[in-house]
Amino acid sequence: MLARVFSCAVIGLDGVLVEVEVDTAQGLPGMDIVGLPDAAVKESKQRVMSAIKNAGFAYPRKRLTVNLAPGSVRKEGPVYDLPIALGVLACMGIFPQDILEDGLVIGELSLDNSVRHVRGILPMAAIAREQGFKKIYVPAQDAAEAALIPEIEVIPVDSLTHLIPYLNGNQEISPQKTTHINSSEPWALTDFKEVKGQEHVKRALEVAAAGGHNVLMIGPPGAGKTLLARSLPAILPALSIEEALDVTRIYSICDLLPSDTPLIKVRPFRAPHHTISHAGLVGGGNWPHPGEVSLSHRGVLFLDEFPEFGKRVLEVLRQPLEDKVVTISRARGSLSFPANFQLIAAMNPCPCGFFGDTYKPCSCSQASITTYQKRISGPLLDRIDIHIQVPRVDYEKLSDNRFGESSKTVRKRVEAARKKQRDRFASLKKETNKKTLFSNADMGNSEIREFCKLDETGNTLMRAAMNQYHLSARAYHRVLKISRTIADLANEEKISTEHLAEALQYRPQVL
């Protein structure tokens, strides 16, 4: 007999429909699995055999052949345990074969026949709805995640002993209720009001948060660069529903979703150590998986001690910073992962950290200072929108008991600026049917030409800045985008000379 059960594979960040075909024949008892399976899939035969026996069913003493179609798609992980087991039981006539025609089956089996958690449930549920399936059978602990996708019935499965009576119509399993997406307040370890001094840096971070711009902070040790960076998530706007699902899909595939949180509701904040490899940063492996830049999607990637990262590691940031996506090519194929993150980098001006400090003299030679600064290439620096000096904080400011502006107050201005951007880009999408833009940093050349127009005085100032600072075409466009953000924070429709002058102050300074 031949039975067919539908399941799913995940390639990159997208689900791919897989047909699990199980055929029985006379011959030596055993199971062969074909269809480009990895080691974990091949080991399914032992788990399936024990699970079926411990569920109270007799394992067939026949030759079983399991085909995972299409054969050109690589299958990995234990996600096919449950569909293979149901295919075997359907061949034995334990339940009607046509009962699963409108459902997608996902799950790993324990030897005691209970169903375990698997990763990548969200994209699998999305492809099930897209392909017209009415039901999806998932591990019970993953049901809330699958229920984020509407218009599909989610059946939580605890074990084979509970599922088989349901398939035979002898027992009910209550479908998982649709998981409602509620917004939550942004969260950070430190509130802006706790940071003493550094008002100009706070202003730069506010501009960065309002427009999604990249920032490089330069200053001596202990000036507060790390503290300021870790305070940034508190002033970022809450994730929209579309952004939250986008981020959750990545974390689901990487198996990083907390067990009690089916949806990521706060913007990611990733701070990898400078010993990270380039594959760990942008993703990689024999079969590519997302790296830190993708885990920071729609959030913040904080790189402390920026020059201490390997040169190759830093240079691989060029493409994702520019294209908001990272493409990884291997012999088996190419995969693209989203990487629309906000880079916040911090560095000392020299190896000892005190070059240019007004209180403590620098002990480094000019050659060592130059070598240290050149660890970060010019093309990479050109892709960072805001460069800001973070000087030492005076005792008077540190000992002052008064608080500055709270993160909540700053966030209100940031959210108002982001709302102006969303409204502006929404009208643009309706007219041109382009992809959704979320912030000014996402603008391309056509959007810059449309929304970042300068008056005659602004053109004069920009021409002088281009000649004096030798700005590249990329830097020119980034200055215009920052100017647009500053105007949005000021609730102005047009970019004035003041907005442009402030944006020009954020260009790289000679150290």
Side-chain angles (χ1 to χ4, degrees), residues 192-193 195-206 228 388-389 391 393 397 402-405 410 413 506:
F192 251 35
K193 68 181 181 181
V195 182
K196 303 294 184 180
Q198 310 293 13
E199 299 304 326
H200 69 296
V201 185
K202 293 180 186 178
R203 168 63 180 176
L205 291 178
E206 180 181 341
L228 285 161
I388 192 75
Q389 297 287 333
V393 183
K397 292 181 179 179
R402 292 176 297 178
F403 290 115
E405 274 191 314
V410 178
R413 296 196 295 267
Y506 295 134

Side-chain angles (χ1 to χ4, degrees), residues 250 274 293 319 344 358 369 425 459:
I250 298 171
H274 60 76
V293 296
Q319 185 215 2
I344 307 296
T358 55
I369 294 174
F425 298 142
N459 278 319

Side-chain angles (χ1 to χ4, degrees), residues 421-439:
Q421 295 165 42
R422 286 197 303 271
D423 295 341
R424 184 184 303 130
F425 298 142
S427 62
L428 177 69
K429 184 181 180 183
K430 185 180 293 186
E431 295 174 3
T432 61
N433 199 26
K434 288 186 176 181
K435 66 177 182 179
T436 302
L437 303 179
F438 292 93
S439 65

Side-chain angles (χ1 to χ4, degrees), residues 107-130:
E108 175 187 352
L109 284 173
S110 296
L111 299 184
D112 64 355
N113 91 88
S114 61
V115 182
R116 290 180 170 176
H117 153 82
V118 295
R119 62 183 179 88
I121 288 291
L122 189 61
M124 293 179 184
I127 197 65
R129 183 184 66 175
E130 183 181 320

Side-chain angles (χ1 to χ4, degrees), residues 354-409:
F354 296 102
F355 177 66
D357 189 69
T358 55
Y359 295 93
K360 190 170 182 178
C362 174
S363 61
C364 304
S365 65
Q366 186 59 47
S368 64
I369 294 174
T370 303
T371 302
Y372 185 78
Q373 293 175 2
K374 284 187 175 180
R375 291 181 184 178
I376 306 171
S377 67
L380 181 57
L381 286 174
D382 205 35
R383 287 168 166 81
I384 299 178
D385 306 323
I386 296 175
H387 298 243
I388 192 75
Q389 297 287 333
V390 185
R392 181 192 299 269
V393 183
D394 296 333
Y395 171 77
E396 287 73 16
K397 292 181 179 179
L398 286 174
S399 59
D400 193 345
N401 291 325
R402 292 176 297 178
F403 290 115
E405 274 191 314
S406 67
S407 295
K408 189 174 183 179
T409 303

Side-chain angles (χ1 to χ4, degrees), residues 182-463:
N182 301 317
S183 61
S184 61
E185 287 289 311
W187 176 88
L189 290 171
T190 306
D191 195 289
F192 251 35
K193 68 181 181 181
E194 300 287 349
V195 182
K196 303 294 184 180
Q198 310 293 13
E199 299 304 326
H200 69 296
V201 185
K202 293 180 186 178
R203 168 63 180 176
L205 291 178
E206 180 181 341
V207 173
H213 303 291
N214 304 317
V215 180
L216 174 61
M217 294 183 286
I218 308 169
K225 301 185 294 297
T226 302
L227 185 66
L228 285 161
R230 294 189 180 278
S231 303
L232 179 65
I235 67 171
L236 291 172
L239 284 170
S240 66
I241 294 175
E242 185 178 351
E243 288 176 313
L245 288 173
D246 213 14
V247 174
T248 302
R249 182 176 57 162
I250 298 171
Y251 277 69
S252 174
I253 288 169
C254 294
D255 205 13
L256 294 176
L257 277 179
S259 57
D260 58 341
T261 308
L263 180 72
I264 299 291
K265 296 183 179 180
V266 295
R267 293 187 181 273
F269 182 88
R270 306 289 297 185
H273 192 259
H274 60 76
T275 56
I276 190 172
S277 67
H278 71 281
L281 189 63
V282 299
N286 291 332
W287 192 254
H289 291 280
E292 290 291 335
V293 296
S294 296
L295 293 172
S296 306
H297 183 59
R298 302 296 178 197
V300 176
L301 176 65
F302 176 48
L303 301 183
D304 203 2
E305 305 297 340
F306 202 36
E308 300 299 333
F309 285 81
K311 185 175 182 61
R312 186 184 179 192
V313 173
L314 292 180
E315 292 307 304
V316 296
L317 285 174
R318 289 194 197 179
Q319 185 215 2
L321 282 174
E322 195 72 21
D323 301 335
K324 311 298 183 184
V325 66
V326 57
T327 301
I328 303 171
S329 298
R330 295 290 184 268
R332 296 175 179 174
S334 297
L335 292 176
S336 294
F337 299 110
N340 192 351
F341 60 93
Q342 192 171 351
L343 174 65
I344 307 296
M347 63 175 284
N348 298 324
C350 66
C352 78
F354 296 102
F355 177 66
D357 189 69
T358 55
Y359 295 93
K360 190 170 182 178
C362 174
S363 61
C364 304
S365 65
Q366 186 59 47
S368 64
I369 294 174
T370 303
T371 302
Y372 185 78
Q373 293 175 2
K374 284 187 175 180
R375 291 181 184 178
I376 306 171
S377 67
L380 181 57
L381 286 174
D382 205 35
R383 287 168 166 81
I384 299 178
D385 306 323
I386 296 175
H387 298 243
I388 192 75
Q389 297 287 333
V390 185
R392 181 192 299 269
V393 183
D394 296 333
Y395 171 77
E396 287 73 16
K397 292 181 179 179
L398 286 174
S399 59
D400 193 345
N401 291 325
R402 292 176 297 178
F403 290 115
E405 274 191 314
S406 67
S407 295
K408 189 174 183 179
T409 303
V410 178
R411 188 171 68 249
K412 288 180 180 178
R413 296 196 295 267
V414 170
E415 288 177 338
R418 285 285 185 112
K419 185 178 184 304
K420 288 179 66 69
Q421 295 165 42
R422 286 197 303 271
D423 295 341
R424 184 184 303 130
F425 298 142
S427 62
L428 177 69
K429 184 181 180 183
K430 185 180 293 186
E431 295 174 3
T432 61
N433 199 26
K434 288 186 176 181
K435 66 177 182 179
T436 302
L437 303 179
F438 292 93
S439 65
N440 285 335
D442 296 337
M443 288 192 294
N445 291 345
S446 60
E447 291 81 21
I448 293 172
R449 189 164 47 249
E450 176 73 19
F451 302 121
C452 302
K453 297 176 181 178
L454 300 177
D455 56 21
E456 185 176 348
T457 308
N459 278 319
T460 302
L461 176 59
M462 194 67 185
R463 185 180 297 108

